[in-house]
Amino acid sequence: MHKWIMFIVFAAASVLGVYLLTTQLPGKPVDEAASLPPGVTLLKVEASADFVFDQEEYKVKKGDKVKLKLVNKSGVHGLAIPDLGIDLQGDKLEQEVVFDKPGKYEMHCAVACGTGHLDMKSVLIVE
């Protein structure tokens, strides 16, 4: 009798495992840069709930046409570069920009996201 119960439990666990493997796996990563028009590069900035951007500084070349994209990994954030007139937040998290003035530009979170909001900064360097 116990053998049949163990067999049924094992069979049910196997079916559940196969179901989860076939339906719950994440999709393959997509190369977003491949879908951009010729001459446009992608600059992806990732923001997270621990009040940081994924890099301390980002670099682009002067004259490059760049698709600037903010990705909120966790929490709700924005991206502002006041000296360049860039403000990504809400429904607008992407913008195509031509960086024509070399220099260092401060980037900061444009959404009051919590206690570490004021320290959420990075630098954009246009070479």
Side-chain angles (χ1 to χ4, degrees):
M1 178 85 171
H2 293 287
K3 291 180 185 178
W4 283 104
I5 293 173
M6 292 303 291
F7 176 74
I8 291 171
V9 169
F10 177 75
S14 297
V15 169
L16 179 63
V18 169
Y19 170 76
L20 291 175
L21 282 174
T22 58
T23 61
Q24 302 296 318
L25 292 177
K28 293 181 181 176
V30 177
D31 182 14
E32 296 177 67
S35 64
L36 294 174
V40 178
T41 58
L42 178 67
L43 175 59
K44 187 188 297 188
V45 178
E46 294 181 359
S48 61
D50 51 353
F51 309 109
V52 294
F53 294 111
D54 62 324
Q55 297 179 31
E56 291 184 18
E57 65 181 33
Y58 300 87
K59 293 183 179 182
V60 296
K61 301 241 186 262
K62 177 186 172 210
D64 280 358
K65 188 172 188 178
V66 175
K67 181 177 183 179
L68 182 60
K69 181 176 183 176
L70 174 65
V71 177
N72 285 315
K73 284 295 202 180
S74 57
V76 177
H77 304 281
L79 175 66
I81 309 174
D83 294 340
L84 299 175
I86 296 172
D87 186 20
L88 304 177
Q89 59 180 306
D91 292 340
K92 182 186 174 200
L93 297 178
E94 298 179 1
Q95 180 176 343
E96 283 195 16
V97 183
V98 176
F99 296 104
D100 53 357
K101 291 188 271 181
K104 278 187 169 184
Y105 300 95
E106 182 181 286
M107 302 168 43
H108 64 269
C109 181
V111 174
C113 56
T115 57
H117 168 71
L118 295 176
D119 297 324
M120 193 168 175
K121 297 179 182 174
S122 189
V123 176
L124 174 70
I125 300 172
V126 180
E127 301 173 324

